[in-house]
Structures are given as structure tokens and as C-alpha cells.
Amino acid sequence: MDDVTEIRAGVHLARGSNTNWVILTEGDAATLVDTGYPGDRERVLASLAAVGRRPEDLAAVLITHAHSDHLGSAEYLRTTYGVPVLMHEKEVPHARREFLHQVSVGQIAQNAWRPGVLPWAVRAVRSGGLTDVRVAEPQAFPAALDLPGRPVPVHTPGHTAGHCAYHLPDAGVLLTGDALVAGHPTSRARGPQLLPGYFHHDRDEALASLRAMGRLDADVLLPGHGPAHDGSAATATEHARRLASA
């Protein structure tokens, strides 16, 4: 599958219709971090096959945050294959759709004049962005995860209240989700950046989370949107802060 790249040994970045997910392999098992849009389901399954794994081999699905373009196939994997769906405790009620911290149709309409917004919105709808993707039984992960790839959760609120990045200390890799992206159809900026402000539940918290990520020892960043970024977390987050204040 051309859209799957091994970034480091056992760390695979997969690209969907508009969103990335990551597969961490260790022995015969794997961890899937995020699942794209609902319309990306076949791509998710194909990406697992591309790295020699089946859905049955998944120890867990880890979620950075419960937006439809990251949660898309989580409930399918849980109900069909019994894969637990894990996330930060503050994201659990979000995944159950007790509330929704996601850009609204009204906000998109208000920003439709901006370059790239309307084409992105059309693609999002076609990919299942308006589909109900709630997870019936999401689980808060324990304080210490024991999963393939040895991901370490880093609470990075702002985009949503329970957003988490995942640090892979042994690999020197940071999975940033939407707390830091490397490009987006609605942005003209290049390189590491925050998403436009209307995508965030709390932009001030999103800025503060950049500092938390910048302290981590990583020289490759795998974002929820855009290409992999080679460079230190400190330099990348500083670049994003400068763009945000421009």
C-alpha cells in the first residue's frame, strides 16, 4: 500500500483521505493510533495488511481525540474484533457523544470564504464527516500503558479537552494528533503549525500544549494532518508558536 511508510522500525505512518493514523508493531501484535474518517475503513484495514497484521492482532486502538476524522472506525474495530478503544479520561465522554467539541456546520459556513475551506468541507462530508461515530464503551487508559510500540500518553488539551499526543521515547518519535499538524487544506502555512483557530475548543490551551510537546525528546513528528516532520519537537513547536502569533 503506497500510503503506508515505515518511519522507524515498527512505526508506520498511514495516510487516509484527509487524516493520518499510525500503526505500531511489536512481535505479532500492533497498536493502532487513530482510525481516520468512517470512509477510510478499507484503507485502515489495507494499511494493517500492508504491515503484515490483521485487525485481530490489535492490542488496542489509541485515540488522540474523538473527532470524526480520527474516531471513524474505532467502534467498528471494537464491536467486530473486540479491540479495546483507549483514550484520556477527559475524552471518554466526548467519544460517547455526551458532548461534541468539534467545528460546527455554522462555523464552517462562517469561514467558507477562506481559501480551501469549502473544498475541504465537501471532502470531509464525502468521507463520512457527518456520520455518527460514537464509541459505546470507550475506556480511559491506565497511568502506564503496556502496548506494542510502548507509547507514552501526553495530555495536550486545547483542540479538545482530552486530546493526547503519544511519545515513543525509544524511537525518538512524537505522534502529535491535531495538537500540532504539518499542513491542512484550510491553511496556507507551511511546516509545523496549529490548525486554524475555529477548529480548537480552547486555543489558549492549544498554545500551552505546544510548550508541553516542545519539552519532549523527539526528532520525528507524526501529525494527524500533513506529512511526517523531521526535526526536534522543540524547534517544531517554536515554529508553530511563531506562526500562531503572526
Side-chain angles (χ1 to χ4, degrees):
M1 184 177 176
D2 292 340
D3 289 336
V4 180
T5 304
E6 187 169 32
I7 302 297
R8 295 277 167 86
V11 181
H12 311 266
L13 178 67
R15 291 170 293 278
S17 52
N18 271 312
T19 309
N20 303 327
W21 55 89
V22 176
I23 305 168
L24 307 176
T25 57
E26 187 176 308
D28 295 331
T31 303
L32 177 62
V33 184
D34 287 343
T35 69
Y37 277 105
D40 287 324
R41 180 173 301 169
E42 292 306 314
R43 291 189 186 197
V44 170
L45 298 176
S47 68
L48 289 171
V51 301
R53 300 298 186 277
R54 306 166 302 158
E56 294 91 336
D57 298 325
L58 289 172
V61 171
L62 278 182
I63 297 298
T64 59
H65 64 294
H67 285 168
S68 60
D69 57 333
H70 296 259
L71 200 65
S73 290
E75 179 70 351
Y76 166 78
L77 292 168
R78 188 189 73 83
T79 57
T80 306
Y81 299 101
V83 183
V85 180
L86 309 179
M87 62 199 70
H88 190 275
E89 61 182 358
K90 289 188 176 181
E91 204 67 5
V92 167
H94 193 194
R96 287 197 297 251
R97 289 300 185 258
E98 295 175 18
F99 55 82
L100 184 60
H101 288 167
Q102 185 166 294
V103 65
S104 67
V105 173
Q107 287 174 305
I108 293 171
Q110 290 172 2
N111 288 279
W113 61 272
R114 298 180 185 275
V117 171
L118 193 55
W120 164 79
V122 171
R123 289 194 299 271
V125 170
R126 288 176 175 171
S127 297
L130 299 179
T131 303
D132 185 349
V133 296
R134 74 185 68 198
V135 178
E137 297 180 11
Q139 300 177 41
F141 46 62
L145 284 177
D146 183 16
L147 291 174
R150 309 300 162 190
V152 178
V154 182
H155 187 206
T156 47
H159 188 60
T160 67
H163 188 289
C164 263
Y166 295 99
H167 187 209
L168 311 178
D170 294 342
V173 175
L174 178 62
L175 283 55
T176 61
D178 283 6
L180 180 72
V181 301
H184 193 267
T186 63
S187 171
R188 290 182 170 181
R190 294 176 177 267
Q193 61 190 274
L194 288 178
L195 285 166
Y198 49 88
F199 284 107
H200 297 298
H201 174 62
D202 188 322
R203 189 173 183 275
D204 289 339
E205 279 197 332
L207 283 165
S209 289
L210 288 177
R211 297 189 181 279
M213 290 187 293
R215 292 191 288 267
L216 299 172
D217 184 13
D219 57 11
V220 176
L221 277 60
L222 303 184
H225 302 275
H229 176 77
D230 291 321
S232 73
T235 301
T237 54
E238 178 59 30
H239 182 269
R241 281 197 297 272
R242 288 198 302 268
L243 285 176
S245 62

